[in-house]
Amino acid sequence: MKTSTPPPFDPNDPAGIDDLLSADEKAVRDSVRQLCAQRVDPYVADWFERGTIDDVRGLAKELGALGVLGMHLDGYGCAGMSATEYGLACLELEASDSGIRSLVSVQGSLAMFAIWRWGSEEQKTEWLPRMAAGEAIGCFGLTEPDIGSDPGSMRTRARRDGDDWVLDGRKMWITNGSIADVAVVWAQTDDGIRGFVVPTTTPGFSAPEIKHKQSLRASVTSELVLDAVRLPAGAVLPEVRGLKGPLSCLNEARFGIVWGALGAARSSLQAALTYAGERTQFGRPISGFQLTQAKLVDMSLEYTKGLLLALHLGRRKDAGTLRPEQVSLGKLNNVRESLEICRTSRTILGANGISLEYPVIRHMNNLESVLTYEGTVEMHTLILGQAITGQSAFR
Amino acid sequence: MNIVVCVKYVPDAQAERTFNASDNTTDRENVDGLLSELDEYAVEEALKLAEAGEGEVTVLTVGPDSAADAIKKALQMGADKGVHVNDAAIHGSDAVATSLVLAEAIKKIGSVDLVITGMASTDGTMGVVPAMLAERLGLPAVTYASELTVDGGVATIRRDGDASTQTITATLPALVSVTDQINEPRYPSFKGIMAAKKKPVDTWSLADLGVDASQVGLDAAWTRVESFAARPPRSQGQIVTDEGDGGQKLAAFLSERKFV
């Protein structure tokens, strides 16, 4: 056992988890942080307040130039980074705002992954390089107005008409919908659920933006309306049939959320820690009160445990041993605990906690969406319940 | 155009920086380090020049094993290759010895058109190495550039002073030190991070450079830190009492410190 003096304590990394990251992984993290610090952080509270992202296409191109879009995919202009590096990027993006991480998740893990994993060579060469560069934006249509956790019951249909396909139906809560150049749309066919690559300029396709959100306001959310959208035979994703197609994509995106949610938590926790050190009541900083310290320490513990879990799942994904149930475990725990951290941070900031002057209420409101999208708490609980007991409680 | 950028690996200013108790040198082992931020401007300027025409950027550092990280960062930003002079005998070297090692390394790299440095390191903050290095190499030194153009074998810089702005030219080969006003350093793209893994880095010892160990290190240093103490806690600010002349007092206070 060595007895030398240990390195100094880092309040932002109390367990020293940084030791577990390689130099390249830290470089990826630093670059994403730097982009966010310059391009997102100064503006995002204002975007949130106004419910828009200024120059979202410019931002997408900058994210593309850095290499973030579809970063964990190989070839076709994608950066070919590891799953762990993708996770670290999601954490940094969501430390800025869940809306920005959602933009990247939907682009890379849902739209690009669907084409990369299940698409034809023509579909890949047509779309992936432009999407990796941020020149084309993608969205992913699975959820419908009446269909959420049970996508097998979807009503959107694709029927054959000669060689063509004709799509009818509606999709709801679609991130990037109104700004997308291409939509990956899932629909019922006589042959089970199939995926379609739909250029958003196709007649019959429209994507009105959903307004009046109180969460993910720095993110475009839309409805997709498919009114007799006629597509050529080559528009169908040839390599997959059934729910496995969309669920494989969700699994990718959920992995990013396992990490991303921690970013929102970290930002809120740091804001609370700083605030508690500066806010004086009864003649001393409130960080000196036992009740506040208990909150700060509890948040630190949960953040640290969540980060260890995310890192472990990332290593498993890179080793090819990560199971979907384990992604459910990570998503369930890390979003739940991150939301709790945001709420607790909010109480430390008192009334200031509800102001957009601080990031806390923004993160807290954002995580209310993250809690239920990409699988609700209930669904992930039942997936794990089934995995642990061998009995399905929902099918 | 062959460009050499001299960079330094320094303790992270965000972390707790200390001296070694044994010899009063900067502790570079027990603290996170990074490529000196002031040197990022030098790397960026070299990359811009290389990208604008034909050029190769070699990044050069002198330091312990950990200093390889500074080279790596520069390679990730886009530099083509690295040279790391690493020799235990260099520990404790002053600016004079550092400039000697850098000069010999640049001679060994050979056929260099332009040497670019930062304006100072963020740890020692002496800022004398660029001039010493130019002297040893027999190159014109144009320092503190806040703008640099190279055209037709001539480097032209703008130097912003307190009272004047100077335009200075030097024929190549030359040495240019740049300020933090000259550009906005890029951050490494993921492609840059991946590409850096395959870029060559040569590691040279003093023997490789023909430098005798007695010329460098703490024993050969012209200066040494005799003692050090923690900075005292910040004292209370100066209170200006307005007796009808508050404005004048404030103006005097500010101009004394060159704020106005």
Side-chain angles (χ1 to χ4, degrees), chain B residues 26-80:
Chain B
T26 308
D27 183 353
R28 300 179 187 281
E29 301 296 326
N30 297 309
V31 63
D32 285 338
L34 40 70
L35 169 62
S36 174
E37 282 166 20
L38 288 172
D39 294 341
E40 287 189 14
Y41 298 93
V43 174
E44 176 66 33
E45 202 58 22
L47 294 176
K48 282 167 70 178
L49 285 173
E51 285 162 2
E54 294 285 300
E56 188 180 62
V57 176
T58 305
V59 57
L60 166 64
T61 198
V62 177
D65 291 351
S66 51
D69 285 355
I71 292 180
K72 191 165 188 187
K73 174 78 183 281
L75 296 179
Q76 290 171 341
M77 288 171 74
D80 298 290

Short mmCIF file of all heavy atoms in Angstrom, two decimals, chain B residues 26-80:
data_model
loop_
_atom_site.label_atom_id
_atom_site.label_comp_id
_atom_site.label_asym_id
_atom_site.label_seq_id
_atom_site.Cartn_x
_atom_site.Cartn_y
_atom_site.Cartn_z
N THR B 26 8.71 24.47 -9.20
CA THR B 26 7.27 24.28 -9.37
C THR B 26 6.93 22.80 -9.33
O THR B 26 7.61 21.99 -9.97
CB THR B 26 6.84 24.85 -10.73
OG1 THR B 26 7.31 26.18 -10.83
CG2 THR B 26 5.33 24.83 -10.88
N ASP B 27 5.92 22.46 -8.56
CA ASP B 27 5.47 21.06 -8.50
C ASP B 27 4.70 20.75 -9.77
O ASP B 27 3.63 21.30 -10.02
CB ASP B 27 4.58 20.86 -7.27
CG ASP B 27 4.15 19.40 -7.13
OD1 ASP B 27 4.43 18.60 -8.05
OD2 ASP B 27 3.53 19.07 -6.10
N ARG B 28 5.27 19.91 -10.61
CA ARG B 28 4.62 19.55 -11.87
C ARG B 28 4.09 18.12 -11.84
O ARG B 28 3.54 17.64 -12.82
CB ARG B 28 5.60 19.70 -13.04
CG ARG B 28 6.12 21.12 -13.19
CD ARG B 28 7.11 21.26 -14.32
NE ARG B 28 7.69 22.60 -14.29
CZ ARG B 28 7.07 23.69 -14.75
NH1 ARG B 28 5.90 23.58 -15.31
NH2 ARG B 28 7.64 24.87 -14.66
N GLU B 29 4.27 17.44 -10.73
CA GLU B 29 3.90 16.03 -10.66
C GLU B 29 2.51 15.85 -10.04
O GLU B 29 1.69 15.10 -10.55
CB GLU B 29 4.91 15.25 -9.81
CG GLU B 29 6.34 15.30 -10.34
CD GLU B 29 6.47 14.66 -11.72
OE1 GLU B 29 5.76 13.67 -11.99
OE2 GLU B 29 7.27 15.16 -12.52
N ASN B 30 2.25 16.53 -8.94
CA ASN B 30 1.03 16.27 -8.17
C ASN B 30 -0.10 17.24 -8.50
O ASN B 30 -0.91 17.57 -7.65
CB ASN B 30 1.33 16.33 -6.67
CG ASN B 30 2.32 15.27 -6.28
OD1 ASN B 30 2.14 14.10 -6.60
ND2 ASN B 30 3.40 15.68 -5.62
N VAL B 31 -0.09 17.70 -9.71
CA VAL B 31 -1.13 18.65 -10.09
C VAL B 31 -1.49 18.37 -11.56
O VAL B 31 -0.64 17.92 -12.33
CB VAL B 31 -0.61 20.09 -9.90
CG1 VAL B 31 0.56 20.38 -10.80
CG2 VAL B 31 -1.72 21.11 -10.13
N ASP B 32 -2.75 18.58 -11.89
CA ASP B 32 -3.14 18.42 -13.29
C ASP B 32 -2.48 19.50 -14.13
O ASP B 32 -2.44 20.66 -13.72
CB ASP B 32 -4.67 18.53 -13.43
CG ASP B 32 -5.36 17.28 -12.92
OD1 ASP B 32 -4.69 16.24 -12.86
OD2 ASP B 32 -6.55 17.36 -12.57
N GLY B 33 -1.99 19.11 -15.28
CA GLY B 33 -1.35 20.09 -16.15
C GLY B 33 -2.06 20.18 -17.47
O GLY B 33 -2.97 19.41 -17.77
N LEU B 34 -1.65 21.15 -18.26
CA LEU B 34 -2.23 21.31 -19.58
C LEU B 34 -1.31 22.14 -20.46
O LEU B 34 -0.35 22.73 -19.99
CB LEU B 34 -3.63 21.94 -19.50
CG LEU B 34 -3.89 23.06 -18.52
CD1 LEU B 34 -3.20 24.35 -18.91
CD2 LEU B 34 -5.37 23.31 -18.41
N LEU B 35 -1.63 22.18 -21.74
CA LEU B 35 -0.95 23.07 -22.67
C LEU B 35 -1.22 24.50 -22.22
O LEU B 35 -2.38 24.90 -22.08
CB LEU B 35 -1.50 22.83 -24.08
CG LEU B 35 -1.12 23.83 -25.17
CD1 LEU B 35 0.38 23.85 -25.40
CD2 LEU B 35 -1.84 23.48 -26.46
N SER B 36 -0.15 25.26 -21.97
CA SER B 36 -0.31 26.64 -21.52
C SER B 36 -1.27 27.38 -22.42
O SER B 36 -1.13 27.37 -23.65
CB SER B 36 1.05 27.34 -21.53
OG SER B 36 0.89 28.71 -21.24
N GLU B 37 -2.27 28.02 -21.82
CA GLU B 37 -3.30 28.65 -22.64
C GLU B 37 -2.72 29.71 -23.58
O GLU B 37 -3.19 29.89 -24.69
CB GLU B 37 -4.38 29.25 -21.73
CG GLU B 37 -5.31 28.16 -21.22
CD GLU B 37 -6.18 28.62 -20.06
OE1 GLU B 37 -6.35 29.83 -19.91
OE2 GLU B 37 -6.68 27.73 -19.34
N LEU B 38 -1.68 30.40 -23.11
CA LEU B 38 -1.08 31.42 -23.97
C LEU B 38 -0.39 30.80 -25.18
O LEU B 38 -0.22 31.46 -26.21
CB LEU B 38 -0.09 32.27 -23.16
CG LEU B 38 -0.73 33.23 -22.16
CD1 LEU B 38 0.33 33.88 -21.28
CD2 LEU B 38 -1.56 34.30 -22.88
N ASP B 39 0.00 29.53 -25.06
CA ASP B 39 0.62 28.85 -26.21
C ASP B 39 -0.41 28.36 -27.21
O ASP B 39 -0.08 28.09 -28.37
CB ASP B 39 1.48 27.68 -25.73
CG ASP B 39 2.67 28.15 -24.91
OD1 ASP B 39 3.02 29.34 -25.02
OD2 ASP B 39 3.24 27.33 -24.17
N GLU B 40 -1.66 28.23 -26.78
CA GLU B 40 -2.70 27.82 -27.73
C GLU B 40 -2.83 28.85 -28.85
O GLU B 40 -3.12 28.50 -30.00
CB GLU B 40 -4.06 27.68 -27.02
CG GLU B 40 -4.16 26.44 -26.14
CD GLU B 40 -5.58 26.22 -25.63
OE1 GLU B 40 -6.52 26.85 -26.17
OE2 GLU B 40 -5.74 25.42 -24.70
N TYR B 41 -2.59 30.12 -28.52
CA TYR B 41 -2.66 31.16 -29.56
C TYR B 41 -1.55 30.96 -30.59
O TYR B 41 -1.75 31.21 -31.79
CB TYR B 41 -2.56 32.55 -28.92
CG TYR B 41 -3.71 32.84 -27.97
CD1 TYR B 41 -3.59 32.58 -26.60
CD2 TYR B 41 -4.91 33.34 -28.44
CE1 TYR B 41 -4.64 32.82 -25.73
CE2 TYR B 41 -5.96 33.59 -27.58
CZ TYR B 41 -5.83 33.33 -26.22
OH TYR B 41 -6.87 33.56 -25.36
N ALA B 42 -0.39 30.53 -30.11
CA ALA B 42 0.73 30.28 -31.02
C ALA B 42 0.42 29.10 -31.94
O ALA B 42 0.67 29.14 -33.14
CB ALA B 42 2.00 30.02 -30.21
N VAL B 43 -0.16 28.04 -31.35
CA VAL B 43 -0.52 26.87 -32.15
C VAL B 43 -1.56 27.27 -33.20
O VAL B 43 -1.44 26.94 -34.38
CB VAL B 43 -1.07 25.73 -31.25
CG1 VAL B 43 -1.58 24.58 -32.11
CG2 VAL B 43 0.02 25.25 -30.29
N GLU B 44 -2.57 28.00 -32.76
CA GLU B 44 -3.64 28.41 -33.68
C GLU B 44 -3.07 29.24 -34.83
O GLU B 44 -3.43 29.03 -35.99
CB GLU B 44 -4.70 29.22 -32.91
CG GLU B 44 -5.82 29.80 -33.78
CD GLU B 44 -6.70 28.72 -34.40
OE1 GLU B 44 -6.89 27.67 -33.76
OE2 GLU B 44 -7.20 28.95 -35.53
N GLU B 45 -2.18 30.17 -34.51
CA GLU B 45 -1.64 31.04 -35.55
C GLU B 45 -0.83 30.23 -36.56
O GLU B 45 -0.90 30.46 -37.77
CB GLU B 45 -0.78 32.14 -34.91
CG GLU B 45 -0.58 33.37 -35.76
CD GLU B 45 -1.88 34.07 -36.18
OE1 GLU B 45 -2.91 33.88 -35.50
OE2 GLU B 45 -1.86 34.78 -37.20
N ALA B 46 -0.07 29.25 -36.05
CA ALA B 46 0.72 28.39 -36.94
C ALA B 46 -0.21 27.57 -37.84
O ALA B 46 0.04 27.43 -39.04
CB ALA B 46 1.61 27.46 -36.11
N LEU B 47 -1.29 27.06 -37.27
CA LEU B 47 -2.22 26.24 -38.06
C LEU B 47 -2.88 27.09 -39.14
O LEU B 47 -3.06 26.64 -40.28
CB LEU B 47 -3.29 25.61 -37.15
CG LEU B 47 -2.77 24.59 -36.14
CD1 LEU B 47 -3.90 24.12 -35.23
CD2 LEU B 47 -2.14 23.39 -36.85
N LYS B 48 -3.23 28.32 -38.80
CA LYS B 48 -3.85 29.19 -39.79
C LYS B 48 -2.90 29.46 -40.96
O LYS B 48 -3.30 29.43 -42.13
CB LYS B 48 -4.28 30.52 -39.15
CG LYS B 48 -5.58 30.38 -38.34
CD LYS B 48 -5.83 31.57 -37.45
CE LYS B 48 -6.21 32.83 -38.21
NZ LYS B 48 -6.49 33.94 -37.27
N LEU B 49 -1.63 29.71 -40.63
CA LEU B 49 -0.64 29.96 -41.69
C LEU B 49 -0.46 28.72 -42.55
O LEU B 49 -0.40 28.80 -43.77
CB LEU B 49 0.71 30.36 -41.07
CG LEU B 49 0.80 31.78 -40.50
CD1 LEU B 49 2.12 31.96 -39.77
CD2 LEU B 49 0.67 32.81 -41.63
N ALA B 50 -0.37 27.57 -41.88
CA ALA B 50 -0.14 26.33 -42.63
C ALA B 50 -1.33 26.01 -43.52
O ALA B 50 -1.17 25.55 -44.66
CB ALA B 50 0.12 25.18 -41.66
N GLU B 51 -2.53 26.28 -43.00
CA GLU B 51 -3.74 25.97 -43.78
C GLU B 51 -3.91 26.92 -44.95
O GLU B 51 -4.51 26.56 -45.97
CB GLU B 51 -4.98 26.04 -42.87
CG GLU B 51 -5.09 24.84 -41.93
CD GLU B 51 -6.03 25.09 -40.75
OE1 GLU B 51 -6.61 26.18 -40.67
OE2 GLU B 51 -6.14 24.18 -39.92
N ALA B 52 -3.37 28.14 -44.81
CA ALA B 52 -3.53 29.13 -45.87
C ALA B 52 -2.61 28.82 -47.05
O ALA B 52 -2.84 29.31 -48.16
CB ALA B 52 -3.24 30.53 -45.33
N GLY B 53 -1.57 28.05 -46.83
CA GLY B 53 -0.66 27.71 -47.93
C GLY B 53 -0.10 26.32 -47.71
O GLY B 53 -0.71 25.49 -47.08
N GLU B 54 1.07 26.10 -48.26
CA GLU B 54 1.76 24.84 -48.02
C GLU B 54 2.53 25.01 -46.73
O GLU B 54 3.26 25.98 -46.56
CB GLU B 54 2.73 24.55 -49.17
CG GLU B 54 2.04 24.28 -50.50
CD GLU B 54 1.43 22.90 -50.53
OE1 GLU B 54 2.18 21.93 -50.37
OE2 GLU B 54 0.19 22.80 -50.69
N GLY B 55 2.38 24.07 -45.83
CA GLY B 55 3.15 24.24 -44.61
C GLY B 55 3.03 23.06 -43.70
O GLY B 55 2.06 22.29 -43.78
N GLU B 56 4.03 22.91 -42.86
CA GLU B 56 4.00 21.84 -41.88
C GLU B 56 4.26 22.45 -40.51
O GLU B 56 5.15 23.29 -40.36
CB GLU B 56 5.06 20.78 -42.21
CG GLU B 56 4.93 19.56 -41.34
CD GLU B 56 5.99 18.51 -41.66
OE1 GLU B 56 7.19 18.80 -41.49
OE2 GLU B 56 5.60 17.40 -42.04
N VAL B 57 3.47 22.02 -39.53
CA VAL B 57 3.62 22.57 -38.18
C VAL B 57 4.18 21.50 -37.25
O VAL B 57 3.59 20.43 -37.10
CB VAL B 57 2.26 23.07 -37.65
CG1 VAL B 57 2.40 23.56 -36.21
CG2 VAL B 57 1.71 24.16 -38.54
N THR B 58 5.33 21.81 -36.68
CA THR B 58 5.94 20.93 -35.68
C THR B 58 5.80 21.59 -34.33
O THR B 58 6.12 22.77 -34.18
CB THR B 58 7.43 20.70 -35.98
OG1 THR B 58 7.57 20.22 -37.31
CG2 THR B 58 8.04 19.72 -35.00
N VAL B 59 5.31 20.85 -33.37
CA VAL B 59 5.15 21.42 -32.03
C VAL B 59 6.27 20.86 -31.15
O VAL B 59 6.54 19.66 -31.16
CB VAL B 59 3.74 21.16 -31.48
CG1 VAL B 59 3.42 19.68 -31.44
CG2 VAL B 59 3.57 21.75 -30.11
N LEU B 60 6.93 21.76 -30.43
CA LEU B 60 8.12 21.41 -29.66
C LEU B 60 7.90 21.75 -28.20
O LEU B 60 7.46 22.86 -27.88
CB LEU B 60 9.33 22.20 -30.21
CG LEU B 60 10.61 22.24 -29.36
CD1 LEU B 60 11.21 20.85 -29.21
CD2 LEU B 60 11.62 23.20 -30.01
N THR B 61 8.21 20.82 -27.32
CA THR B 61 8.13 21.13 -25.90
C THR B 61 9.32 20.55 -25.17
O THR B 61 9.93 19.57 -25.61
CB THR B 61 6.81 20.63 -25.26
OG1 THR B 61 6.62 21.31 -24.02
CG2 THR B 61 6.84 19.13 -24.97
N VAL B 62 9.67 21.17 -24.05
CA VAL B 62 10.70 20.67 -23.15
C VAL B 62 10.02 20.43 -21.83
O VAL B 62 9.40 21.35 -21.28
CB VAL B 62 11.84 21.70 -22.98
CG1 VAL B 62 12.87 21.18 -21.98
CG2 VAL B 62 12.49 22.02 -24.31
N GLY B 63 10.09 19.20 -21.33
CA GLY B 63 9.43 18.96 -20.05
C GLY B 63 9.42 17.48 -19.71
O GLY B 63 9.87 16.64 -20.51
N PRO B 64 8.90 17.16 -18.53
CA PRO B 64 8.87 15.76 -18.08
C PRO B 64 7.86 14.92 -18.88
O PRO B 64 7.22 15.44 -19.80
CB PRO B 64 8.45 15.87 -16.61
CG PRO B 64 7.71 17.17 -16.52
CD PRO B 64 8.32 18.07 -17.54
N ASP B 65 7.72 13.66 -18.50
CA ASP B 65 6.84 12.73 -19.23
C ASP B 65 5.46 13.34 -19.49
O ASP B 65 4.91 13.25 -20.58
CB ASP B 65 6.65 11.43 -18.44
CG ASP B 65 7.92 10.61 -18.38
OD1 ASP B 65 8.90 10.99 -19.08
OD2 ASP B 65 7.96 9.62 -17.63
N SER B 66 4.91 13.97 -18.44
CA SER B 66 3.54 14.48 -18.54
C SER B 66 3.40 15.56 -19.61
O SER B 66 2.31 15.82 -20.11
CB SER B 66 3.07 15.02 -17.19
OG SER B 66 4.03 15.93 -16.68
N ALA B 67 4.53 16.20 -19.97
CA ALA B 67 4.47 17.28 -20.96
C ALA B 67 4.04 16.77 -22.33
O ALA B 67 3.67 17.55 -23.21
CB ALA B 67 5.82 17.99 -21.06
N ALA B 68 4.09 15.44 -22.51
CA ALA B 68 3.60 14.87 -23.78
C ALA B 68 2.15 15.26 -24.02
O ALA B 68 1.70 15.34 -25.17
CB ALA B 68 3.74 13.35 -23.75
N ASP B 69 1.41 15.53 -22.94
CA ASP B 69 0.00 15.94 -23.09
C ASP B 69 -0.13 17.27 -23.83
O ASP B 69 -1.11 17.50 -24.53
CB ASP B 69 -0.66 16.07 -21.71
CG ASP B 69 -0.97 14.71 -21.10
OD1 ASP B 69 -0.76 13.70 -21.80
OD2 ASP B 69 -1.40 14.67 -19.94
N ALA B 70 0.84 18.15 -23.62
CA ALA B 70 0.79 19.45 -24.30
C ALA B 70 0.97 19.26 -25.80
O ALA B 70 0.29 19.89 -26.62
CB ALA B 70 1.87 20.39 -23.74
N ILE B 71 1.90 18.37 -26.16
CA ILE B 71 2.10 18.06 -27.58
C ILE B 71 0.84 17.44 -28.16
O ILE B 71 0.37 17.80 -29.24
CB ILE B 71 3.30 17.09 -27.76
CG1 ILE B 71 4.59 17.82 -27.40
CG2 ILE B 71 3.34 16.54 -29.17
CD1 ILE B 71 5.82 16.97 -27.54
N LYS B 72 0.28 16.52 -27.39
CA LYS B 72 -0.91 15.81 -27.89
C LYS B 72 -2.05 16.79 -28.17
O LYS B 72 -2.72 16.69 -29.18
CB LYS B 72 -1.34 14.78 -26.84
CG LYS B 72 -2.39 13.84 -27.37
CD LYS B 72 -2.54 12.62 -26.50
CE LYS B 72 -3.46 11.61 -27.15
NZ LYS B 72 -3.78 10.50 -26.28
N LYS B 73 -2.24 17.75 -27.26
CA LYS B 73 -3.31 18.73 -27.46
C LYS B 73 -3.08 19.50 -28.76
O LYS B 73 -4.01 19.72 -29.54
CB LYS B 73 -3.36 19.68 -26.26
CG LYS B 73 -4.34 20.85 -26.39
CD LYS B 73 -5.76 20.43 -26.13
CE LYS B 73 -6.77 21.55 -26.32
NZ LYS B 73 -6.83 22.49 -25.19
N ALA B 74 -1.82 19.89 -28.99
CA ALA B 74 -1.51 20.64 -30.21
C ALA B 74 -1.72 19.77 -31.45
O ALA B 74 -2.19 20.25 -32.48
CB ALA B 74 -0.08 21.17 -30.15
N LEU B 75 -1.37 18.50 -31.35
CA LEU B 75 -1.60 17.59 -32.49
C LEU B 75 -3.10 17.40 -32.73
O LEU B 75 -3.56 17.32 -33.87
CB LEU B 75 -0.94 16.22 -32.23
CG LEU B 75 0.59 16.21 -32.11
CD1 LEU B 75 1.08 14.79 -31.82
CD2 LEU B 75 1.24 16.75 -33.37
N GLN B 76 -3.86 17.34 -31.65
CA GLN B 76 -5.31 17.22 -31.79
C GLN B 76 -5.91 18.46 -32.45
O GLN B 76 -6.87 18.39 -33.21
CB GLN B 76 -5.97 17.00 -30.41
CG GLN B 76 -5.68 15.62 -29.83
CD GLN B 76 -6.14 15.48 -28.39
OE1 GLN B 76 -6.38 16.46 -27.70
NE2 GLN B 76 -6.27 14.24 -27.93
N MET B 77 -5.31 19.61 -32.14
CA MET B 77 -5.78 20.85 -32.78
C MET B 77 -5.46 20.85 -34.27
O MET B 77 -6.13 21.53 -35.05
CB MET B 77 -5.15 22.07 -32.10
CG MET B 77 -5.69 22.35 -30.70
SD MET B 77 -4.75 23.64 -29.83
CE MET B 77 -5.31 25.12 -30.69
N GLY B 78 -4.39 20.10 -34.65
CA GLY B 78 -4.09 20.02 -36.08
C GLY B 78 -2.62 20.06 -36.46
O GLY B 78 -2.29 19.97 -37.64
N ALA B 79 -1.72 20.25 -35.49
CA ALA B 79 -0.28 20.24 -35.81
C ALA B 79 0.09 18.89 -36.41
O ALA B 79 -0.57 17.88 -36.17
CB ALA B 79 0.54 20.53 -34.55
N ASP B 80 1.17 18.87 -37.21
CA ASP B 80 1.50 17.67 -37.97
C ASP B 80 2.36 16.68 -37.19
O ASP B 80 2.20 15.47 -37.32
CB ASP B 80 2.24 18.06 -39.26
CG ASP B 80 1.36 18.92 -40.14
OD1 ASP B 80 0.38 18.38 -40.68
OD2 ASP B 80 1.61 20.13 -40.26
#
